[in-house]
Amino acid sequence: MLELARGSLSKMAAQLDEPVRYAFRSGEVEVPVNPLIGRHLRLEYLGAIHCIHCGRRTKTSFSQGYCYPCMQKLAQCDLCIMSPERCHYDAGTCREPAWGERFCMTDHVVYLANSSGIKVGITRASQVPTRWLDQGASQALPILRVATRQQAGFVEDLLRSQVPDRTNWRALLKGDAEPLDLPAIRDELFERCAEGLEALQRRFGLQAIQPLADARPLEIRYPVEAYPAKISTFNLDKSPVAEGTLLGVKGQYLLFDSGVINVRKYTAYQIAISCAG
């Protein structure tokens, strides 16, 4: 086996193309993944995890790559990251106000995506289209631009009364979702939620929540030669090796003929990546 990289694993870099282009990121090294499809690939956990913030060795990875003390003190690990509507910046209790100003008090996009079916989500405007690539969406449509993360959370909370906000990862890895008419779904969603959207605009201002009426759906194709017949997952905490013939990549999942693995789950794990020569 030829070793390609060794070090702390990060989520794969993804670049929009036909198909999406992926690269492993291990320490300072980037290794293109697309050329490895069809070859025997091996990921070996070397038994150590180092916090992606402070570098401390930790037995368990918290919040995808942090040690427990960092998870407890950093703003990016606070509960409001998963539930933006619970933002407490205005109360003066943000863990890191400067971080909040940079990442939360900035334009966000509310979007519809089709991965395992329709879903609603939010992301920083600067993370379009990366967020959709990481989720494995085959279609995506931005529908609103919102002034802050908290306000985007309020909008998402309203819209998910009509549309799910979760992806069925097993369905995602069984094949491409059936194409959907995202503009038609957007229009119907706006109609159903008109009263709630108007209330939020009155609360925060018309400029804070702006419909993106001219946006067009993005179609995304992933480098997958075949989908696995059975969805079984590798667990590096129980068995340190994930290997097999690489069938493709979708979202942050590697699809092998022997199982699948979510690379992002193992952020900060010390990993050796090798392939058949």
Side-chain angles (χ1 to χ4, degrees), residues 93-123:
T93 55
C94 181
R95 293 178 177 182
E96 299 174 276
W99 189 92
E101 289 167 8
R102 181 181 176 190
F103 290 96
C104 301
M105 304 301 157
T106 186
D107 281 2
H108 279 62
V109 168
V110 180
Y111 63 85
L112 295 174
N114 181 15
S115 48
S116 59
I118 192 65
K119 65 157 286 184
V120 64
I122 68 172
T123 189

Side-chain angles (χ1 to χ4, degrees), residues 80-81 84 99-111 121-128 131 142-153 155-156 207-210 212:
C80 52
I81 296 302
W99 189 92
E101 289 167 8
R102 181 181 176 190
F103 290 96
C104 301
M105 304 301 157
T106 186
D107 281 2
H108 279 62
V109 168
V110 180
Y111 63 85
I122 68 172
T123 189
R124 291 196 309 276
S126 61
Q127 287 298 103
V128 172
R131 177 65 171 164
I143 61 173
L144 291 156
R145 182 177 287 267
V146 185
T148 71
R149 182 173 179 84
Q150 183 192 43
Q151 293 166 16
V155 174
E156 182 186 35
Q207 296 301 312
I209 302 172
Q210 300 180 16
L212 298 173

